[in-house]
Amino acid sequence: RPIIHEGSYWLLTENQWPYENTRLHLMAIHHQHAEHLRDLQPEAWSDLGALITWAEQHFNIQSGGFAMRFGDPSRNGGTVRHLHTHLLVALTVNKDDPAYKPLRFKVG
């Protein structure tokens, strides 16, 4: 997928395989190879915050979540050994809506 926005440490793109029940599924991918949180420089955290804040404003996200797995994918539910963050917006957020289905993020 094309890069939507880019910071000094991260790039933002659409997930090629969005999770079930998502209206929007973006991924922030770290420029350098990293597998653990300890691999990140302190400045990378503020850059990630700026990227997610930009996406929240750009896509007018009123409600959503972001999640990150780290370490061995065979133990954390991930599929790759590269640190990245998911920014997720559910298809339906109104739990009273008969069409509501939860958006699930697997960890472990």
Side-chain angles (χ1 to χ4, degrees), residues 21 23 61-65 88-97 99-103:
N21 302 319
R23 180 174 61 83
I61 297 171
Q62 299 300 307
S63 177
L88 303 156
V89 177
L91 187 61
T92 305
V93 295
N94 180 358
K95 292 183 180 179
D96 296 329
D97 185 335
Y100 172 80
K101 292 182 182 176
L103 190 162

Side-chain angles (χ1 to χ4, degrees), residues 41-86:
Q41 296 179 353
E43 298 83 11
W45 289 106
S46 58
D47 190 57
L48 178 60
L51 198 67
I52 290 172
T53 301
W54 178 89
E56 180 184 19
Q57 294 170 347
H58 180 78
F59 291 99
N60 194 28
I61 297 171
Q62 299 300 307
S63 177
F66 68 96
M68 178 188 296
R69 298 182 198 92
F70 58 92
D72 183 353
S74 69
R75 301 183 68 159
N76 67 20
T79 57
V80 297
R81 287 184 174 267
H82 187 87
L83 205 56
H84 57 280
T85 299
H86 298 259

Side-chain angles (χ1 to χ4, degrees), residues 1-3 5 10 13 16 19 24-26 29 35 54 58 61 64 71 79-81 83 89 95-96 100:
R1 300 277 185 189
I3 295 172
H5 196 71
W10 303 86
T13 187
Q16 286 183 328
Y19 292 172
L24 181 66
H25 188 165
L26 302 175
I29 303 170
E35 294 182 25
W54 178 89
H58 180 78
I61 297 171
T79 57
V80 297
R81 287 184 174 267
L83 205 56
V89 177
K95 292 183 180 179
D96 296 329
Y100 172 80

